Amino acid sequence: MAPDKLSPVENSWKIFEEYHIDEDVGFALPNPLEELPHPYDAWISIAKNLPELIKNGQLRAEVEKLTTFSIDGLQGHKSQRLAHLALGYITMAYVWGEGDGDVRKVLPSNIAVPYCKLSEKLGLPPILVYADCVLANWKKKDPSGPMTYENMDILFSFPGGDCGKGFFLVSLVVETAAASAIKVIPMIFNAIQREDPDTLQKALLDIASCLHKVLELFHQIHEYVDPNLFFNVLRIYLSGWKGNPLLSEGLLYEGVWNTPKKFAGGSAAQSSIFQCFDILLGIQHTVGGVPLDSAAKFLQEMRTYMPSAHQNFLRLLESGPSVRKFVLSKGDATLQEIYNECVQAMVSLRSYHLQIVTKYIVIPAHQSSKKKQTSGEPSSEPISKGTGGTDFMHFLRAVKSTTMNSLLKKD
């Protein structure tokens, strides 16, 4: 049951628990499991050894030997999320193989059937999504230690050495840093309901401060992720089968559907953080629920790749009072300035995301294309496509522009 409004502050974490949001790690899964009981440990074993199995050319044979397991023995949300993560890794590895263009267009039924049943149960698509590889793919080295990059590791890896660890963990650290901003949302809604601009002002300052911290942590990506390894190795395993010329018809899930299905690969657009703060601040990518352009349409589609509890939370926020309208109605210059600081922090994050995409995709793609032209090889994919199957530069620029347009103009 989703209440129409967020309850008073003292009950806020009870509500957030219902939407699978944790006080310390936000939208991330708190303390994910690392192991599954027999017989599902067979999935974990393959997922844990992916790079070696791929390198030795044994991955596909090992997957094909697996028995088809019923998902009925997967008790509890954390077990189901770990199984979804492991099956996602196995699926990506099976489809893309050694990342050399030898692609499989059929996922065998022994993986496809349990994967699709589990996906349906969790309200997630049967492909590796951000909720898997970032939100549920982590552990602390020292359980009593802090949530810092140095004290964390990922559960499963793709080829490319520590590139995947860097990419997923920096994304996770960004997610967990946003938890303290999510925490003040009930305070914001209560302030509006009580017509209390002072409390709203304090809460918005907290959000702006938190978003600045998120941007600061995002800079760690340069330290831990190599652009060439990311583009030429890891990115292949994150690619989906929607808008991808290598799987133009999609992937056939044997024993589940009679025709191939198209699903987008992992994308930062599948993170609930940015959509959460867009909704809270009234940054409109849609008008009356209708997407303004293809970028807004993609954002709406990416919601369906989030855990259903998180989708429900975003809908709950949409049904809440409008922060933007309240700020405008008060005509308070200081309040408007603080509101603008929050929106500007979102603009800064999106500008930075554009820089990252340029460094990690656009530049390596041009270098790769030049090499292929020099050697006379045909280029296998359009440079502009992201793992989510969209024209990412157009998407990021459009979303940044919409965010900038949400800044309140000074009189």
Side-chain angles (χ1 to χ4, degrees):
M1 184 186 81
D4 289 335
K5 297 171 185 167
L6 288 174
S7 298
V9 179
E10 57 270 20
N11 296 327
S12 63
W13 279 110
K14 202 180 247 184
I15 289 170
F16 285 163
E17 279 170 22
E18 180 190 337
Y19 294 101
H20 292 184
I21 301 168
D22 182 80
E23 185 166 5
D24 298 317
V25 297
F27 290 111
L29 185 69
N31 303 311
L33 295 181
E34 294 177 45
E35 301 292 345
L36 289 173
H38 186 76
Y40 309 107
D41 54 343
W43 293 342
I44 301 296
S45 177
I46 289 180
K48 275 188 176 173
N49 294 296
L50 278 189
E52 196 179 334
L53 289 169
I54 290 169
K55 187 180 169 188
N56 297 335
Q58 299 171 315
L59 184 277
R60 285 169 172 159
E62 286 298 311
V63 172
E64 286 158 7
K65 281 194 292 194
L66 283 167
T67 305
T68 307
F69 304 132
S70 160
I71 64 161
D72 295 346
L74 289 166
Q75 296 302 312
H77 182 70
K78 285 189 177 181
S79 289
Q80 290 162 9
R81 288 287 294 276
L82 176 57
H84 199 268
L85 168 65
L87 290 171
Y89 261 79
I90 291 168
T91 295
M92 299 318 246
Y94 187 85
V95 169
W96 301 119
E98 294 179 32
D100 56 0
D102 176 17
V103 177
R104 290 291 162 93
K105 297 182 178 182
V106 180
L107 187 66
S109 61
N110 58 347
I111 287 291
V113 171
Y115 192 22
C116 289
K117 283 185 177 168
L118 183 58
S119 297
E120 190 179 358
K121 197 176 184 88
L122 287 169
L124 290 168
I127 190 169
L128 188 75
V129 292
Y130 185 92
D132 299 318
C133 58
V134 173
L135 303 184
N137 186 25
W138 65 275
K139 64 178 179 181
K140 283 185 182 180
K141 292 174 184 173
D142 171 6
S144 60
M147 286 287 292
T148 57
Y149 187 95
E150 295 72 22
N151 189 42
M152 292 161 76
D153 208 343
I154 54 175
L155 305 183
F156 307 124
S157 299
F158 285 118
D162 281 343
C163 181
K165 176 184 171 181
F167 187 64
F168 298 142
L169 283 187
V170 170
S171 302
L172 178 73
V173 167
V174 164
E175 285 281 335
T176 57
S180 59
I182 300 167
K183 209 179 288 192
V184 301
I185 292 174
M187 196 190 301
I188 285 174
F189 284 173
N190 283 336
I192 293 170
Q193 284 156 1
R194 291 197 314 267
E195 297 266 325
D196 179 359
D198 290 343
T199 300
L200 178 63
Q201 201 166 296
K202 284 186 193 124
L204 288 176
L205 276 171
D206 282 347
I207 289 198
S209 168
C210 182
L211 292 176
H212 293 318
K213 177 71 176 167
V214 163
L215 180 56
E216 192 185 306
L217 290 166
F218 204 171
H219 280 77
Q220 291 183 38
I221 196 163
H222 301 290
E223 194 178 334
Y224 298 113
V225 185
D226 175 82
N228 290 318
L229 269 180
F230 174 79
F231 182 80
N232 294 304
V233 183
L234 182 64
R235 187 167 170 266
I236 294 162
Y237 295 100
L238 302 181
S239 300
W241 22 98
K242 181 173 185 177
N244 190 327
L246 293 171
L247 278 168
S248 55
E249 291 178 12
L251 179 71
L252 182 65
Y253 292 77
E254 188 181 67
V256 183
W257 293 296
N258 294 326
T259 53
K261 297 292 173 185
K262 295 179 181 181
F263 293 108
S267 164
Q270 294 167 6
S271 164
S272 301
I273 291 176
F274 297 104
Q275 297 213 31
C276 167
F277 292 115
D278 276 350
I279 295 166
L280 184 71
L281 297 168
I283 296 168
Q284 291 284 346
H285 301 288
T286 62
V287 174
V290 178
L292 287 167
D293 57 18
S294 61
K297 194 175 173 191
F298 181 69
L299 274 177
Q300 286 294 111
E301 184 195 337
M302 287 301 100
R303 274 205 202 180
T304 66
Y305 286 70
M306 298 173 189
S308 49
H310 296 169
Q311 293 180 47
N312 290 340
F313 181 71
L314 296 182
R315 281 193 283 271
L316 176 70
L317 288 188
E318 285 171 331
S319 71
S322 168
V323 174
R324 187 182 175 84
K325 282 180 187 167
F326 181 82
V327 170
L328 282 166
S329 73
K330 290 297 161 195
D332 180 321
T334 307
L335 186 58
Q336 289 197 14
E337 200 176 305
I338 293 167
Y339 169 86
N340 271 352
E341 196 182 329
C342 291
V343 176
Q344 186 55 55
M346 292 291 286
V347 173
S348 299
L349 277 162
R350 286 181 161 138
S351 296
Y352 187 66
H353 197 180
L354 268 164
Q355 290 174 37
I356 292 296
V357 164
T358 302
K359 176 178 175 176
Y360 283 89
I361 300 178
V362 177
I363 293 169
H366 279 298
Q367 288 168 344
S368 171
S369 186
K370 270 186 186 172
K371 271 185 198 167
K372 284 180 178 176
Q373 282 170 9
T374 308
S375 63
E377 272 183 79
S379 188
S380 60
E381 61 173 314
I383 288 170
S384 62
K385 291 282 184 185
T387 48
T390 188
D391 180 333
F392 55 81
M393 290 305 275
H394 166 77
F395 165 70
L396 290 170
R397 285 190 188 115
V399 171
K400 178 190 164 187
S401 173
T402 313
T403 310
M404 286 177 75
N405 291 340
S406 299
L407 288 162
L408 297 177
K409 308 290 183 283
K410 289 176 182 163
D411 295 329

